[in-house]
């Protein structure tokens, strides 16, 4: 009897471990999206429309449409953000450059509207008087050529406070430490540190300071 009970406990434990392992293996958006170079080659062979999607669901809409065979384009801005508020380490995360929209390309003689609007997070299509408005291929080419595969923020921003990033030449404010409150120009960014120009006793000095305690002055 005890042996049978032990077998049940082991089976339950194994099932729990299996479920945990599956959750760890889940990839949010596993399908590889076409690159800008690939899209530039096929853009004129498709009819393009701008779809309105639910906020913060742009990449999810891309994934679903791609699995349905619809070509999509949604340029991104890759920013350094914390994995969670409990971890200091940052990683690159994608944010849509055109929030609330996904550009979809259909074969020239077939726009799969039924498949598109069967997706709950797709709210509609930009058009006139209820009729979807087609985007000219030349306009799509210019957009893809301009944004390519999106933008990736510089590696130095990994060590800056989120939403308070700055660049060389910008005036920043020291938020902590012995120089707190000073506003100084940034002359160099290297890894975790910034080199700023600080005036002390009438003489300018280049001071090395941690980037995470600096923020834009304006």
């Amino acid at each position: 009897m005890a042996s049978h009970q032990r077998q049940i406990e082991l089976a339950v434990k194994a099932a729990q471990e299996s479920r945990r392992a599956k959750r760890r293996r889940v990839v949010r958006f596993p399908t590889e999206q076409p690159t800008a170079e690939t899209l530039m080659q096929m853009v004129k062979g498709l009819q393009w429309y701008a779809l309105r999607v639910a906020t913060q669901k742009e990449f999810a809409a891309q994934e679903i449409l791609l699995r349905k065979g619809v070509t999509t384009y949604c340029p991104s801005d890759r920013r350094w953000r914390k994995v969670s508020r409990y971890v200091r380490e940052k990683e690159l995360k994608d944010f849509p450059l055109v929030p609330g929209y996904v550009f979809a390309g259909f074969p020239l003689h077939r726009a799969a509207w039924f498949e598109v609007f069967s997706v709950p997070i797709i709210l509609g299509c930009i058009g006139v008087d209820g009729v979807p408005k087609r985007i000219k291929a030349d306009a799509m080419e210019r957009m893809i050529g301009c944004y390519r595969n999106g933008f990736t923020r510089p590696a130095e921003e990994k060590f800056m406070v989120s939403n308070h990033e700055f660049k060389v030449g910008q005036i920043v404010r020291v938020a902590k430490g012995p120089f707190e409150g000073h506003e100084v120009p940034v002359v160099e960014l290297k890894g975790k540190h910034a080199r700023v120009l600080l005036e002390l006793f009438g003489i300018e000095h280049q001071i090395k300071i941690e980037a995470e305690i600096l923020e834009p002055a304006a």
Side-chain angles (χ1 to χ4, degrees):
M1 186 72 176
S3 176
H4 180 66
Q5 181 66 29
R6 179 59 177 166
Q7 288 178 352
I8 293 176
E9 290 176 355
L10 289 173
V12 170
K13 185 176 181 180
Q16 291 173 338
E17 287 296 329
S18 176
R19 287 195 293 271
R20 292 192 189 100
K22 287 180 180 179
R23 286 198 295 270
R24 286 194 292 269
R25 288 198 299 269
V26 168
V27 179
R28 191 176 181 189
F29 306 122
T31 310
E32 185 177 355
Q33 299 290 336
T35 63
E37 288 70 25
T38 302
L39 288 172
M40 289 292 277
Q41 295 173 5
M42 58 193 300
V43 65
K44 289 188 175 178
L46 300 171
Q47 51 180 324
W48 290 89
Y49 297 89
L51 304 179
R52 291 190 300 105
V53 302
T55 305
Q56 299 180 356
K57 298 295 184 181
E58 296 86 357
F59 300 133
Q62 262 197 298
E63 172 67 19
I64 295 169
L65 289 173
L66 191 59
R67 290 181 179 182
K68 291 178 176 289
V70 180
T71 301
T72 63
Y73 179 62
C74 183
S76 65
D77 181 12
R78 297 180 187 89
R79 309 172 193 168
W80 290 100
R81 292 293 182 265
K82 290 183 179 180
V83 179
S84 74
R85 61 179 178 176
Y86 305 107
V87 181
R88 292 187 62 183
E89 187 67 21
K90 289 185 178 182
E91 63 179 23
L92 283 170
K93 291 188 177 182
D94 287 334
F95 293 83
L97 280 171
V98 190
Y101 293 91
V102 168
F103 300 93
F106 304 99
L108 292 177
H109 304 294
R110 186 181 73 87
W113 295 118
F114 177 79
E115 293 181 3
V116 168
F117 292 120
S118 67
V119 181
I121 59 176
I122 296 177
L123 307 178
C125 179
I126 298 301
V128 179
D129 295 330
V131 179
K133 178 69 174 178
R134 184 172 171 180
I135 302 173
K136 293 182 179 179
D138 291 344
M140 282 302 303
E141 276 190 337
R142 287 194 297 272
M143 181 188 301
I144 297 170
C146 177
Y147 295 118
R148 308 302 292 176
N149 298 314
F151 304 115
T152 300
R153 300 299 180 95
E156 289 82 6
E157 291 191 5
K158 180 178 182 179
F159 306 104
M160 300 176 189
V161 179
S162 296
N163 298 315
H164 291 280
E165 294 84 2
F166 52 86
K167 302 176 182 178
V168 171
Q170 195 169 345
I171 304 297
V172 295
R173 181 183 296 105
V174 183
K176 297 178 182 178
F179 303 117
E180 182 177 353
H182 282 73
E183 294 188 0
V184 293
V186 179
V187 296
E188 184 185 38
L189 289 170
K190 191 172 183 180
K192 297 181 180 181
H193 297 90
R195 196 171 292 277
V196 301
L197 203 59
L198 181 66
E199 183 177 328
L200 295 172
F201 309 110
I203 302 175
E204 288 187 333
H205 300 269
Q206 284 196 15
I207 304 295
K208 188 177 180 181
I209 193 167
E210 291 187 4
E212 66 177 9
I213 66 171
L214 300 174
E215 58 185 24

